Structure formats: structure tokens, C-alpha cells
Amino acid sequence: MKVAIFASGTGSNFENIADDQTLKDRGLKIEILVCDRPKAAVIEKAKRRGIPTFIVQPKDFENRNYYEQAIIKELANYQIDFILLAGYMRVITTTLLDEYPMKIINIHPALLPLFPGIHGIEDAYNAGVTETGVTIHYIDEGVDTGPIIAQQKVPVLAHETLKQLEVKIHHIEHQLYPSVILNLLNK
């Protein structure tokens, strides 16, 4: 399976997927990293692994449609089967969704439908919930509203700091996302 990973930040989930030997052995090939931030740390991680990077910034385009058309054109060069979002901080629109229907998945650091959006961990923590978690879901036109593929709960302990909760969430992300990808490879 030829995949593109979209990321905007540090790239811990990108790195985790790229280094997973079981995924490689089962045929996962990361063809390209798509990044919307030219100074994102994930770019260096892709470079060290010999994975090409396509840096494309929305501000360089008249609208989101043209932005996503540029991405589609680049992905066509790699014959991409699937798109994995790993900390990509942009809403995907119908332009990309129509090109890759039910072929774009995302990881979210909360138990959707609770706490959608970019601050899932912090929002759950500030809400005082006793459990939160990680969700892997297909992308649709909404913000974190697509069909859920898998979820894993994470307890929020009474005296836990936000930073401690973030570490637990990221640990679960790094287990759950490769597991879900492996299931997709087996289909």
C-alpha cells in the first residue's frame, strides 16, 4: 500500500509509523510527506528516512480548492492508495475527499465525538473528565466527525498534570495507529 502522510508539527506519529518494521514487512510504503509548514520538525524526520517531502502552504493559493488541487497533482506522481493524517492541522475539503473517498484517516487525541478540534487533550483535561482517549477515524467534511474506525480509552487520574496526560495519550496513539493501519493492510 502506497501512502502519503500529512503532518504539520513535530512528527511523532509520522516517525512512529515510518519506523514500524511490521508495517514495512506487510507492504506499507510511505511515498511522500505532505506538510503545510516549511519549518515543521517533521520535515527533517522525513529527510533522515529518505522520504520525499512536498511543502505546500495554503497562503500561496487563491483558495482551499486550488491548494488541495496542488496536493492531488503531487500525489498523482506517487500513485497514492491512502492518506494518513498525523497531526495535520488543516480541515480537508471535498476537493481532496472526492479524489480519495474513504481513503483518508486521522488520529485524534480524545474519544470522539467528545472534544473535537485541535485541543482535544487540553479540552478533555479542563473539562474534568475521568477518562479520555484516542480515536482513529475516516475524514469527512466536518471537523473530527467522520466514521470511527477504532478508539482506546485512557483514564484521567485525579492528581495528573496536563503534561502527564499528554504523554499517556501519545503513548496510546503510537500503539493504536499502527494497529489500525495494519488492519487496513490486511483487507
Side-chain angles (χ1 to χ4, degrees):
M1 177 188 295
K2 294 180 176 184
V3 301
I5 297 183
F6 288 28
S8 298
T10 61
S12 68
N13 277 304
F14 167 85
E15 190 171 41
N16 186 58
I17 294 165
D19 293 346
D20 190 301
Q21 191 59 48
T22 302
L23 291 176
K24 290 178 194 176
D25 291 346
R26 293 288 181 90
L28 183 77
K29 176 127 174 57
I30 302 170
E31 295 288 338
I32 188 169
L33 167 70
V34 174
C35 186
D36 61 330
R37 296 181 180 164
K39 295 183 180 180
V42 69
I43 295 167
E44 185 58 35
K45 292 176 181 183
K47 188 180 206 178
R48 283 196 307 264
R49 289 164 177 79
I51 297 170
T53 300
F54 181 54
I55 301 169
V56 58
Q57 298 181 81
K59 70 178 184 73
D60 295 336
F61 297 87
E62 185 178 325
N63 59 43
R64 288 177 12 183
N65 178 45
Y66 291 135
Y67 169 73
E68 288 188 355
Q69 285 177 3
I71 292 172
I72 290 167
K73 184 177 178 183
E74 185 67 20
L75 296 183
N77 295 325
Y78 296 91
Q79 300 175 326
I80 296 301
D81 300 311
F82 230 90
I83 296 171
L84 307 174
L85 304 184
Y88 183 66
M89 305 311 283
R90 300 267 168 226
V91 174
I92 303 292
T93 72
T94 55
T95 302
L96 201 51
L97 288 168
D98 288 348
E99 190 70 24
Y100 291 93
M102 297 301 282
K103 298 282 186 178
I104 306 173
I105 61 174
N106 186 40
I107 185 165
H108 183 74
L111 291 176
L112 294 174
L114 300 174
F115 311 112
I118 63 173
H119 301 292
I121 299 172
E122 186 177 344
D123 292 346
Y125 184 82
N126 290 336
V129 296
T130 58
E131 72 178 9
T132 185
V134 175
T135 302
I136 311 291
H137 64 98
Y138 288 102
I139 292 297
D140 64 9
E141 292 180 56
V143 176
D144 297 323
T145 57
I148 293 171
I149 301 168
Q151 291 184 308
Q152 188 167 335
K153 294 178 181 178
V154 175
V156 180
L157 305 177
H159 300 290
E160 192 166 41
T161 67
L162 177 59
K163 184 67 179 164
Q164 289 170 323
L165 180 60
E166 286 174 352
V167 169
K168 285 184 357 186
I169 293 285
H170 293 312
H171 178 73
I172 296 301
E173 286 179 342
H174 294 166
Q175 293 175 347
L176 186 61
Y177 211 2
S179 171
V180 167
I181 295 165
L182 189 58
N183 284 338
L184 290 172
L185 290 171
N186 290 332
K187 287 185 177 180

